[in-house]
Amino acid sequence: ATVLISGASGFIALHIVSQLLKQNYKVIGTVRSNEKRAKLLRQFQHNPNLFLEIVPDISQSNAFENVFKRHGHEIRYVLHTSSPFYYDTTEYENDLLIPALEGTKNILNSIKRYAADTVERVVVTSSCTAIITLAKTSDPSVVFTEQSWNEATWENCQVDGINAYFASKKFAEKAAWDFARENAGHIRFKLTTVNPSLVFGPQLFDEDVCEHLNTSCEIINGLIHAPANGTPSDLHSIFTDVRDVAQAHLYAFQREDTAGKRLVVSNGKFGDQDILDILNKDFPQLNGVIPLGKPGTGDQVTSPGATTDNSVTRELLGFEFKSLHQTVHDTAVQILRKENRQ
Ligand code: NDP
């Protein structure tokens, strides 16, 4: 069967493409440029089941038209992963909100127009940021679940990159559910969303480890390169591993019981101190080179505040999520190998 995946060059998407190819799917990926196309084809060793099309900007209303004109008749599953993920902008609408929202609407409209009868399942990569209301994260009485929605509005989210990114994912996901409901009589597909927390883990290819990594892995990369006299920040969040997130994307279209669901893929809280403890314990070459902080005190930072309960998703997916230790360890091993510091 043929799977279309948007944003195939992304950190998470590469792991999904790899798992799809291993399971013998024909994969049509979209990337933004010829250079990325050539690079990916080389990295996947010109796998005959991998086809790449160029979609320079998902915000353009006709972004996916050509892809569907050419391949629509054979695409059975669509995974929409592409969306801007960075905080470093003040152009909140142009850089974050509009591409996230319009990109989602554009791919869904192209399915309806060109592949309404052939596409059976659609998976939109959403995020825990579509679930979590930032203003409530320090309230210990709050529990976020598969039912929760970020309460940000289009106007009030435009205060900083983090708030705008969080909201961009909420508006995009909401548009997907609205689309599925409003077009129920005109489309065949069932929708599933995958809502990961911050995603760690190795890049699929060592060569993609560079000075600055994708937004989530950069948290670990930053601590590996933090000066010994630095102090860990009080920032904390929830994490998951990229290989689990990729697996969830496959189950999201392969299994009947995931149709219509929001899959919240997360394995608990973490803070800087927890990551530093793992780095200092597992990698003696980092001792005295990176901060030590106050080992063992991570939960003093992470335990207060709101919690996320994704027991419904855990039960549904039925596999064990990778631990913080494993995901941080594997991320660091790859970075240190690339820097000849193993
Ligand atoms: P990446 O930045 O590695 O991947 C994002 C992908 O989207 C890239 O291929 C990027 O292309 C593409 N893209 C972004 N904007 C556009 C645009 N306007 N037009 C066309 N393509 C675009 O990030 P991740 O792999 O981490 O993220 C993938 C998805 O997962 C996103 O939807 C993100 O919101 C979601 N997510 C990520 C989490 C994480 O912690 N990593 C957590 C929860 C959700 P290019 O690189 O060429 O610009």
Side-chain angles (χ1 to χ4, degrees), residues 26-86:
K26 175 172 172 184
V27 179
I28 300 167
T30 71
V31 292
R32 303 183 81 170
S33 66
N34 251 315
E35 292 70 36
K36 292 218 164 144
R37 179 173 182 276
K39 180 180 172 195
L40 246 67
L41 290 175
R42 168 177 61 73
Q43 288 179 317
F44 283 102
Q45 301 180 325
H46 299 276
N47 186 309
N49 279 329
L50 178 63
F51 299 81
L52 295 175
E53 295 284 349
I54 311 231
V55 173
D57 184 1
I58 53 172
S59 321
Q60 302 299 315
S61 61
N62 61 353
F64 292 99
E65 297 271 301
N66 283 336
V67 176
F68 277 92
K69 276 187 198 156
R70 206 166 302 160
H71 303 283
H73 61 279
E74 59 163 319
I75 296 170
R76 196 180 302 174
Y77 309 115
V78 174
L79 314 182
H80 178 51
T81 82
S82 59
S83 203
F85 181 19
Y86 52 88

Short mmCIF file of all heavy atoms in Angstrom, two decimals, residues 26-86:
data_model
loop_
_atom_site.label_atom_id
_atom_site.label_comp_id
_atom_site.label_asym_id
_atom_site.label_seq_id
_atom_site.Cartn_x
_atom_site.Cartn_y
_atom_site.Cartn_z
N LYS A 26 5.04 1.46 0.03
CA LYS A 26 5.55 2.43 -0.93
C LYS A 26 5.34 3.80 -0.30
O LYS A 26 4.23 4.12 0.14
CB LYS A 26 4.77 2.31 -2.25
CG LYS A 26 5.16 3.36 -3.27
CD LYS A 26 4.52 3.10 -4.62
CE LYS A 26 4.80 4.29 -5.53
NZ LYS A 26 4.11 4.14 -6.84
N VAL A 27 6.39 4.58 -0.22
CA VAL A 27 6.34 5.85 0.49
C VAL A 27 6.52 7.01 -0.49
O VAL A 27 7.51 7.05 -1.23
CB VAL A 27 7.44 5.93 1.58
CG1 VAL A 27 7.39 7.28 2.30
CG2 VAL A 27 7.29 4.78 2.58
N ILE A 28 5.55 7.93 -0.48
CA ILE A 28 5.72 9.17 -1.24
C ILE A 28 5.89 10.28 -0.20
O ILE A 28 5.01 10.51 0.62
CB ILE A 28 4.50 9.47 -2.13
CG1 ILE A 28 4.30 8.32 -3.12
CG2 ILE A 28 4.66 10.81 -2.85
CD1 ILE A 28 2.97 8.35 -3.83
N GLY A 29 7.05 10.90 -0.20
CA GLY A 29 7.32 11.94 0.78
C GLY A 29 7.35 13.30 0.11
O GLY A 29 7.69 13.40 -1.07
N THR A 30 7.00 14.35 0.86
CA THR A 30 7.21 15.69 0.33
C THR A 30 8.36 16.35 1.08
O THR A 30 8.51 16.18 2.29
CB THR A 30 5.95 16.59 0.42
OG1 THR A 30 5.70 16.93 1.80
CG2 THR A 30 4.73 15.89 -0.15
N VAL A 31 9.20 17.06 0.33
CA VAL A 31 10.30 17.84 0.89
C VAL A 31 10.27 19.22 0.23
O VAL A 31 9.57 19.41 -0.76
CB VAL A 31 11.67 17.17 0.66
CG1 VAL A 31 11.79 15.88 1.45
CG2 VAL A 31 11.91 16.89 -0.82
N ARG A 32 11.04 20.16 0.76
CA ARG A 32 10.89 21.54 0.30
C ARG A 32 11.76 21.92 -0.88
O ARG A 32 11.54 22.95 -1.49
CB ARG A 32 11.15 22.51 1.46
CG ARG A 32 10.26 22.24 2.62
CD ARG A 32 10.47 23.25 3.73
NE ARG A 32 9.75 24.47 3.45
CZ ARG A 32 9.59 25.46 4.34
NH1 ARG A 32 10.14 25.34 5.54
NH2 ARG A 32 8.94 26.53 4.04
N SER A 33 12.80 21.15 -1.16
CA SER A 33 13.72 21.56 -2.22
C SER A 33 14.34 20.36 -2.89
O SER A 33 14.32 19.25 -2.35
CB SER A 33 14.84 22.42 -1.63
OG SER A 33 15.63 21.62 -0.77
N ASN A 34 14.91 20.62 -4.05
CA ASN A 34 15.64 19.59 -4.79
C ASN A 34 16.82 19.06 -4.01
O ASN A 34 17.12 17.87 -4.06
CB ASN A 34 16.16 20.20 -6.10
CG ASN A 34 15.38 19.64 -7.27
OD1 ASN A 34 15.15 18.43 -7.31
ND2 ASN A 34 14.97 20.51 -8.17
N GLU A 35 17.49 19.96 -3.27
CA GLU A 35 18.67 19.55 -2.49
C GLU A 35 18.25 18.52 -1.45
O GLU A 35 18.90 17.49 -1.26
CB GLU A 35 19.32 20.75 -1.78
CG GLU A 35 19.99 21.76 -2.69
CD GLU A 35 19.03 22.58 -3.53
OE1 GLU A 35 17.91 22.91 -3.02
OE2 GLU A 35 19.34 22.89 -4.69
N LYS A 36 17.14 18.82 -0.74
CA LYS A 36 16.68 17.89 0.31
C LYS A 36 16.26 16.58 -0.33
O LYS A 36 16.46 15.51 0.24
CB LYS A 36 15.53 18.50 1.08
CG LYS A 36 15.99 19.67 1.91
CD LYS A 36 15.33 19.78 3.26
CE LYS A 36 16.18 20.74 4.08
NZ LYS A 36 15.46 21.61 4.97
N ARG A 37 15.66 16.67 -1.51
CA ARG A 37 15.22 15.46 -2.20
C ARG A 37 16.42 14.56 -2.50
O ARG A 37 16.43 13.37 -2.18
CB ARG A 37 14.50 15.86 -3.50
CG ARG A 37 14.01 14.70 -4.29
CD ARG A 37 13.16 15.17 -5.48
NE ARG A 37 12.69 13.99 -6.18
CZ ARG A 37 13.39 13.35 -7.10
NH1 ARG A 37 14.59 13.79 -7.46
NH2 ARG A 37 12.91 12.26 -7.65
N ALA A 38 17.46 15.17 -3.07
CA ALA A 38 18.64 14.39 -3.44
C ALA A 38 19.31 13.80 -2.19
O ALA A 38 19.75 12.64 -2.19
CB ALA A 38 19.62 15.28 -4.19
N LYS A 39 19.37 14.60 -1.14
CA LYS A 39 20.02 14.13 0.09
C LYS A 39 19.27 12.93 0.68
O LYS A 39 19.88 11.92 1.04
CB LYS A 39 20.06 15.28 1.10
CG LYS A 39 20.70 14.91 2.41
CD LYS A 39 20.70 16.09 3.38
CE LYS A 39 21.17 15.64 4.75
NZ LYS A 39 20.86 16.62 5.79
N LEU A 40 17.95 13.04 0.76
CA LEU A 40 17.16 11.95 1.34
C LEU A 40 17.25 10.67 0.51
O LEU A 40 17.36 9.57 1.05
CB LEU A 40 15.69 12.37 1.46
CG LEU A 40 15.17 12.50 2.88
CD1 LEU A 40 15.84 13.65 3.58
CD2 LEU A 40 13.66 12.68 2.88
N LEU A 41 17.20 10.84 -0.80
CA LEU A 41 17.29 9.64 -1.66
C LEU A 41 18.62 8.94 -1.43
O LEU A 41 18.69 7.72 -1.33
CB LEU A 41 17.11 10.03 -3.13
CG LEU A 41 15.69 10.47 -3.52
CD1 LEU A 41 15.65 10.95 -4.98
CD2 LEU A 41 14.67 9.35 -3.31
N ARG A 42 19.68 9.75 -1.29
CA ARG A 42 20.99 9.15 -1.01
C ARG A 42 20.98 8.47 0.35
O ARG A 42 21.43 7.33 0.50
CB ARG A 42 22.07 10.25 -1.06
CG ARG A 42 23.42 9.79 -0.50
CD ARG A 42 24.51 10.84 -0.60
NE ARG A 42 24.27 12.09 0.11
CZ ARG A 42 24.34 12.23 1.43
NH1 ARG A 42 24.60 11.20 2.23
NH2 ARG A 42 24.11 13.40 1.99
N GLN A 43 20.45 9.18 1.39
CA GLN A 43 20.47 8.61 2.74
C GLN A 43 19.71 7.29 2.81
O GLN A 43 20.11 6.38 3.53
CB GLN A 43 19.88 9.62 3.74
CG GLN A 43 20.80 10.80 4.01
CD GLN A 43 20.20 11.80 4.98
OE1 GLN A 43 19.01 12.13 4.89
NE2 GLN A 43 21.01 12.29 5.90
N PHE A 44 18.61 7.19 2.06
CA PHE A 44 17.85 5.94 2.05
C PHE A 44 18.34 4.99 0.96
O PHE A 44 17.65 4.06 0.57
CB PHE A 44 16.35 6.21 1.92
CG PHE A 44 15.71 6.69 3.20
CD1 PHE A 44 15.43 8.04 3.40
CD2 PHE A 44 15.42 5.80 4.23
CE1 PHE A 44 14.85 8.48 4.59
CE2 PHE A 44 14.84 6.23 5.42
CZ PHE A 44 14.56 7.57 5.60
N GLN A 45 19.55 5.25 0.48
CA GLN A 45 20.25 4.38 -0.47
C GLN A 45 19.38 4.05 -1.67
O GLN A 45 19.32 2.91 -2.13
CB GLN A 45 20.71 3.12 0.25
CG GLN A 45 21.63 3.48 1.40
CD GLN A 45 22.14 2.27 2.16
OE1 GLN A 45 21.42 1.30 2.32
NE2 GLN A 45 23.37 2.35 2.62
N HIS A 46 18.69 5.08 -2.16
CA HIS A 46 17.85 4.96 -3.36
C HIS A 46 16.90 3.77 -3.27
O HIS A 46 16.72 3.02 -4.23
CB HIS A 46 18.73 4.91 -4.62
CG HIS A 46 19.55 6.17 -4.76
ND1 HIS A 46 19.05 7.32 -5.33
CD2 HIS A 46 20.80 6.47 -4.33
CE1 HIS A 46 19.96 8.27 -5.27
NE2 HIS A 46 21.03 7.78 -4.66
N ASN A 47 16.31 3.63 -2.10
CA ASN A 47 15.31 2.58 -1.90
C ASN A 47 14.22 2.71 -2.98
O ASN A 47 13.63 3.77 -3.15
CB ASN A 47 14.70 2.74 -0.50
CG ASN A 47 13.76 1.61 -0.14
OD1 ASN A 47 12.86 1.26 -0.90
ND2 ASN A 47 13.98 1.01 1.03
N PRO A 48 13.97 1.63 -3.72
CA PRO A 48 13.01 1.73 -4.83
C PRO A 48 11.58 2.00 -4.39
O PRO A 48 10.74 2.35 -5.21
CB PRO A 48 13.13 0.36 -5.52
CG PRO A 48 13.77 -0.54 -4.53
CD PRO A 48 14.59 0.31 -3.61
N ASN A 49 11.29 1.86 -3.09
CA ASN A 49 9.94 2.16 -2.60
C ASN A 49 9.77 3.60 -2.13
O ASN A 49 8.72 3.96 -1.63
CB ASN A 49 9.58 1.22 -1.44
CG ASN A 49 9.13 -0.12 -1.94
OD1 ASN A 49 8.55 -0.22 -3.02
ND2 ASN A 49 9.41 -1.16 -1.17
N LEU A 50 10.83 4.39 -2.26
CA LEU A 50 10.75 5.78 -1.78
C LEU A 50 10.71 6.76 -2.95
O LEU A 50 11.59 6.77 -3.81
CB LEU A 50 11.96 6.10 -0.88
CG LEU A 50 12.01 7.55 -0.35
CD1 LEU A 50 10.80 7.86 0.53
CD2 LEU A 50 13.31 7.79 0.43
N PHE A 51 9.66 7.59 -2.97
CA PHE A 51 9.48 8.61 -4.01
C PHE A 51 9.35 9.96 -3.31
O PHE A 51 8.65 10.05 -2.30
CB PHE A 51 8.23 8.32 -4.84
CG PHE A 51 8.30 6.99 -5.54
CD1 PHE A 51 8.01 5.81 -4.85
CD2 PHE A 51 8.70 6.91 -6.86
CE1 PHE A 51 8.11 4.58 -5.47
CE2 PHE A 51 8.80 5.67 -7.49
CZ PHE A 51 8.50 4.50 -6.79
N LEU A 52 10.01 10.97 -3.83
CA LEU A 52 9.94 12.27 -3.16
C LEU A 52 9.44 13.34 -4.13
O LEU A 52 9.89 13.41 -5.28
CB LEU A 52 11.31 12.66 -2.60
CG LEU A 52 11.82 11.75 -1.48
CD1 LEU A 52 13.24 12.12 -1.07
CD2 LEU A 52 10.91 11.78 -0.26
N GLU A 53 8.50 14.15 -3.63
CA GLU A 53 7.96 15.26 -4.41
C GLU A 53 8.30 16.56 -3.68
O GLU A 53 8.45 16.58 -2.47
CB GLU A 53 6.43 15.13 -4.53
CG GLU A 53 5.97 13.92 -5.31
CD GLU A 53 6.15 14.08 -6.83
OE1 GLU A 53 6.44 15.20 -7.28
OE2 GLU A 53 5.99 13.08 -7.54
N ILE A 54 8.38 17.64 -4.47
CA ILE A 54 8.75 18.93 -3.86
C ILE A 54 7.51 19.77 -3.55
O ILE A 54 6.71 20.04 -4.45
CB ILE A 54 9.70 19.69 -4.80
CG1 ILE A 54 10.79 18.71 -5.22
CG2 ILE A 54 10.20 20.98 -4.14
CD1 ILE A 54 12.16 19.05 -5.10
N VAL A 55 7.38 20.14 -2.28
CA VAL A 55 6.33 21.08 -1.85
C VAL A 55 7.04 22.15 -1.05
O VAL A 55 7.34 21.98 0.12
CB VAL A 55 5.25 20.38 -0.99
CG1 VAL A 55 4.27 21.39 -0.43
CG2 VAL A 55 4.52 19.31 -1.79
N PRO A 56 7.36 23.28 -1.71
CA PRO A 56 8.20 24.28 -1.04
C PRO A 56 7.52 24.93 0.16
O PRO A 56 8.19 25.27 1.13
CB PRO A 56 8.45 25.34 -2.12
CG PRO A 56 8.01 24.73 -3.41
CD PRO A 56 7.02 23.65 -3.08
N ASP A 57 6.21 25.13 0.11
CA ASP A 57 5.56 25.82 1.23
C ASP A 57 4.13 25.32 1.38
O ASP A 57 3.29 25.58 0.52
CB ASP A 57 5.58 27.33 0.99
CG ASP A 57 5.00 28.09 2.17
OD1 ASP A 57 4.60 27.45 3.17
OD2 ASP A 57 4.92 29.33 2.08
N ILE A 58 3.87 24.64 2.48
CA ILE A 58 2.53 24.06 2.70
C ILE A 58 1.46 25.13 2.88
O ILE A 58 0.27 24.82 2.81
CB ILE A 58 2.52 23.12 3.94
CG1 ILE A 58 3.09 23.83 5.18
CG2 ILE A 58 3.30 21.85 3.64
CD1 ILE A 58 2.94 23.03 6.47
N SER A 59 1.86 26.40 3.12
CA SER A 59 0.86 27.47 3.29
C SER A 59 0.17 27.84 1.99
O SER A 59 -0.91 28.43 2.01
CB SER A 59 1.49 28.76 3.81
OG SER A 59 2.45 28.53 4.76
N GLN A 60 0.80 27.56 0.86
CA GLN A 60 0.22 27.93 -0.44
C GLN A 60 -1.00 27.06 -0.71
O GLN A 60 -0.94 25.84 -0.55
CB GLN A 60 1.24 27.73 -1.56
CG GLN A 60 2.53 28.51 -1.38
CD GLN A 60 2.28 30.02 -1.36
OE1 GLN A 60 1.53 30.54 -2.17
NE2 GLN A 60 2.89 30.70 -0.39
N SER A 61 -2.09 27.68 -1.16
CA SER A 61 -3.35 26.93 -1.25
C SER A 61 -3.26 25.74 -2.21
O SER A 61 -3.94 24.75 -2.04
CB SER A 61 -4.49 27.85 -1.62
OG SER A 61 -4.22 28.41 -2.88
N ASN A 62 -2.39 25.86 -3.22
CA ASN A 62 -2.27 24.74 -4.17
C ASN A 62 -1.10 23.81 -3.83
O ASN A 62 -0.68 23.00 -4.66
CB ASN A 62 -2.11 25.28 -5.59
CG ASN A 62 -0.86 26.13 -5.71
OD1 ASN A 62 -0.19 26.40 -4.71
ND2 ASN A 62 -0.52 26.53 -6.92
N ALA A 63 -0.59 23.92 -2.60
CA ALA A 63 0.67 23.24 -2.24
C ALA A 63 0.70 21.76 -2.62
O ALA A 63 1.70 21.27 -3.13
CB ALA A 63 0.92 23.39 -0.73
N PHE A 64 -0.39 21.05 -2.37
CA PHE A 64 -0.37 19.60 -2.54
C PHE A 64 -1.06 19.14 -3.83
O PHE A 64 -1.19 17.94 -4.07
CB PHE A 64 -1.00 18.92 -1.33
CG PHE A 64 -0.19 19.07 -0.06
CD1 PHE A 64 -0.50 20.04 0.88
CD2 PHE A 64 0.92 18.26 0.17
CE1 PHE A 64 0.25 20.20 2.03
CE2 PHE A 64 1.68 18.41 1.33
CZ PHE A 64 1.35 19.38 2.26
N GLU A 65 -1.52 20.12 -4.64
CA GLU A 65 -2.29 19.77 -5.84
C GLU A 65 -1.54 18.82 -6.77
O GLU A 65 -2.08 17.80 -7.18
CB GLU A 65 -2.64 21.03 -6.64
CG GLU A 65 -3.54 21.99 -5.89
CD GLU A 65 -5.01 21.69 -6.10
OE1 GLU A 65 -5.46 21.71 -7.26
OE2 GLU A 65 -5.69 21.42 -5.11
N ASN A 66 -0.30 19.17 -7.08
CA ASN A 66 0.44 18.35 -8.04
C ASN A 66 0.71 16.95 -7.51
O ASN A 66 0.65 15.97 -8.24
CB ASN A 66 1.76 19.02 -8.43
CG ASN A 66 1.51 20.14 -9.41
OD1 ASN A 66 0.48 20.13 -10.11
ND2 ASN A 66 2.41 21.12 -9.46
N VAL A 67 1.00 16.88 -6.22
CA VAL A 67 1.27 15.57 -5.62
C VAL A 67 0.05 14.67 -5.78
O VAL A 67 0.15 13.51 -6.16
CB VAL A 67 1.62 15.72 -4.12
CG1 VAL A 67 1.80 14.37 -3.46
CG2 VAL A 67 2.85 16.59 -3.93
N PHE A 68 -1.12 15.26 -5.51
CA PHE A 68 -2.34 14.44 -5.59
C PHE A 68 -2.78 14.19 -7.02
O PHE A 68 -3.33 13.13 -7.33
CB PHE A 68 -3.46 15.06 -4.75
CG PHE A 68 -3.35 14.67 -3.30
CD1 PHE A 68 -2.65 15.46 -2.41
CD2 PHE A 68 -3.90 13.48 -2.85
CE1 PHE A 68 -2.51 15.09 -1.08
CE2 PHE A 68 -3.77 13.10 -1.52
CZ PHE A 68 -3.08 13.90 -0.63
N LYS A 69 -2.52 15.17 -7.92
CA LYS A 69 -2.85 14.92 -9.33
C LYS A 69 -2.07 13.72 -9.82
O LYS A 69 -2.55 12.87 -10.56
CB LYS A 69 -2.51 16.14 -10.17
CG LYS A 69 -3.61 17.19 -10.18
CD LYS A 69 -3.27 18.29 -11.17
CE LYS A 69 -4.08 19.52 -10.87
NZ LYS A 69 -3.46 20.75 -11.36
N ARG A 70 -0.81 13.65 -9.40
CA ARG A 70 0.06 12.59 -9.88
C ARG A 70 -0.18 11.25 -9.17
O ARG A 70 -0.19 10.21 -9.80
CB ARG A 70 1.53 13.03 -9.66
CG ARG A 70 2.49 12.40 -10.62
CD ARG A 70 3.83 13.11 -10.59
NE ARG A 70 3.73 14.53 -10.92
CZ ARG A 70 4.65 15.44 -10.59
NH1 ARG A 70 5.73 15.07 -9.96
NH2 ARG A 70 4.48 16.69 -10.94
N HIS A 71 -0.34 11.30 -7.86
CA HIS A 71 -0.34 10.05 -7.09
C HIS A 71 -1.66 9.74 -6.37
O HIS A 71 -1.78 8.69 -5.74
CB HIS A 71 0.75 10.09 -6.00
CG HIS A 71 2.13 10.34 -6.52
ND1 HIS A 71 2.88 9.37 -7.15
CD2 HIS A 71 2.91 11.46 -6.49
CE1 HIS A 71 4.06 9.88 -7.48
NE2 HIS A 71 4.10 11.15 -7.09
N GLY A 72 -2.61 10.69 -6.44
CA GLY A 72 -3.84 10.57 -5.64
C GLY A 72 -4.51 9.21 -5.76
O GLY A 72 -4.97 8.64 -4.76
N HIS A 73 -4.54 8.67 -6.96
CA HIS A 73 -5.27 7.43 -7.19
C HIS A 73 -4.72 6.23 -6.41
O HIS A 73 -5.41 5.27 -6.19
CB HIS A 73 -5.24 7.09 -8.69
CG HIS A 73 -3.84 6.87 -9.20
ND1 HIS A 73 -2.99 7.93 -9.53
CD2 HIS A 73 -3.13 5.74 -9.40
CE1 HIS A 73 -1.83 7.44 -9.92
NE2 HIS A 73 -1.88 6.12 -9.84
N GLU A 74 -3.45 6.33 -5.98
CA GLU A 74 -2.88 5.16 -5.29
C GLU A 74 -2.62 5.38 -3.81
O GLU A 74 -2.22 4.46 -3.10
CB GLU A 74 -1.57 4.72 -5.98
CG GLU A 74 -0.53 5.81 -5.99
CD GLU A 74 0.88 5.26 -6.27
OE1 GLU A 74 1.22 4.20 -5.73
OE2 GLU A 74 1.61 5.92 -7.02
N ILE A 75 -2.83 6.62 -3.34
CA ILE A 75 -2.50 6.89 -1.93
C ILE A 75 -3.62 6.38 -1.02
O ILE A 75 -4.77 6.78 -1.15
CB ILE A 75 -2.29 8.41 -1.70
CG1 ILE A 75 -1.07 8.89 -2.49
CG2 ILE A 75 -2.09 8.70 -0.20
CD1 ILE A 75 -0.92 10.40 -2.53
N ARG A 76 -3.25 5.48 -0.11
CA ARG A 76 -4.26 4.94 0.80
C ARG A 76 -4.18 5.58 2.19
O ARG A 76 -5.17 5.73 2.87
CB ARG A 76 -4.08 3.42 0.92
CG ARG A 76 -5.32 2.79 1.53
CD ARG A 76 -5.24 1.30 1.69
NE ARG A 76 -5.01 0.56 0.48
CZ ARG A 76 -4.79 -0.77 0.47
NH1 ARG A 76 -4.77 -1.45 1.60
NH2 ARG A 76 -4.58 -1.40 -0.66
N TYR A 77 -2.96 5.95 2.59
CA TYR A 77 -2.78 6.55 3.91
C TYR A 77 -2.01 7.86 3.77
O TYR A 77 -1.07 7.94 2.98
CB TYR A 77 -1.98 5.61 4.82
CG TYR A 77 -2.53 4.20 4.85
CD1 TYR A 77 -1.79 3.13 4.34
CD2 TYR A 77 -3.79 3.95 5.37
CE1 TYR A 77 -2.31 1.84 4.35
CE2 TYR A 77 -4.32 2.67 5.39
CZ TYR A 77 -3.57 1.62 4.87
OH TYR A 77 -4.08 0.35 4.88
N VAL A 78 -2.42 8.86 4.54
CA VAL A 78 -1.73 10.15 4.52
C VAL A 78 -1.27 10.50 5.93
O VAL A 78 -2.07 10.45 6.87
CB VAL A 78 -2.66 11.27 3.99
CG1 VAL A 78 -1.97 12.64 4.11
CG2 VAL A 78 -3.06 11.00 2.54
N LEU A 79 0.02 10.81 6.06
CA LEU A 79 0.57 11.26 7.35
C LEU A 79 1.03 12.70 7.16
O LEU A 79 1.97 12.96 6.40
CB LEU A 79 1.76 10.38 7.77
CG LEU A 79 1.60 8.86 7.66
CD1 LEU A 79 2.85 8.15 8.18
CD2 LEU A 79 0.38 8.40 8.45
N HIS A 80 0.35 13.63 7.82
CA HIS A 80 0.73 15.04 7.68
C HIS A 80 1.59 15.45 8.87
O HIS A 80 1.08 15.74 9.95
CB HIS A 80 -0.53 15.90 7.59
CG HIS A 80 -0.22 17.37 7.48
ND1 HIS A 80 0.66 17.88 6.55
CD2 HIS A 80 -0.67 18.44 8.20
CE1 HIS A 80 0.73 19.19 6.69
NE2 HIS A 80 -0.05 19.56 7.69
N THR A 81 2.90 15.47 8.65
CA THR A 81 3.81 15.81 9.76
C THR A 81 4.36 17.22 9.65
O THR A 81 4.83 17.78 10.63
CB THR A 81 5.02 14.84 9.86
OG1 THR A 81 6.04 15.21 8.93
CG2 THR A 81 4.60 13.40 9.64
N SER A 82 4.36 17.80 8.44
CA SER A 82 5.08 19.08 8.31
C SER A 82 4.33 20.22 8.99
O SER A 82 3.12 20.35 8.87
CB SER A 82 5.34 19.41 6.83
OG SER A 82 4.14 19.48 6.13
N SER A 83 5.07 20.99 9.72
CA SER A 83 4.55 22.15 10.43
C SER A 83 5.78 22.85 11.01
O SER A 83 6.73 22.18 11.39
CB SER A 83 3.63 21.68 11.57
OG SER A 83 2.73 22.68 11.96
N PRO A 84 5.76 24.18 11.05
CA PRO A 84 6.95 24.85 11.60
C PRO A 84 7.09 24.58 13.09
O PRO A 84 6.11 24.72 13.83
CB PRO A 84 6.67 26.33 11.35
CG PRO A 84 5.20 26.44 11.11
CD PRO A 84 4.73 25.12 10.60
N PHE A 85 8.29 24.18 13.53
CA PHE A 85 8.53 23.98 14.96
C PHE A 85 9.78 24.73 15.38
O PHE A 85 10.88 24.19 15.33
CB PHE A 85 8.62 22.49 15.30
CG PHE A 85 8.84 22.25 16.79
CD1 PHE A 85 8.54 23.23 17.73
CD2 PHE A 85 9.32 21.05 17.25
CE1 PHE A 85 8.72 23.02 19.08
CE2 PHE A 85 9.53 20.83 18.62
CZ PHE A 85 9.22 21.82 19.53
N TYR A 86 9.60 25.98 15.74
CA TYR A 86 10.65 26.77 16.38
C TYR A 86 9.97 27.94 17.09
O TYR A 86 8.81 28.25 16.81
CB TYR A 86 11.68 27.28 15.35
CG TYR A 86 11.10 28.00 14.16
CD1 TYR A 86 10.87 29.38 14.19
CD2 TYR A 86 10.77 27.31 12.99
CE1 TYR A 86 10.33 30.04 13.10
CE2 TYR A 86 10.22 27.98 11.90
CZ TYR A 86 10.01 29.34 11.97
OH TYR A 86 9.46 30.00 10.89
#
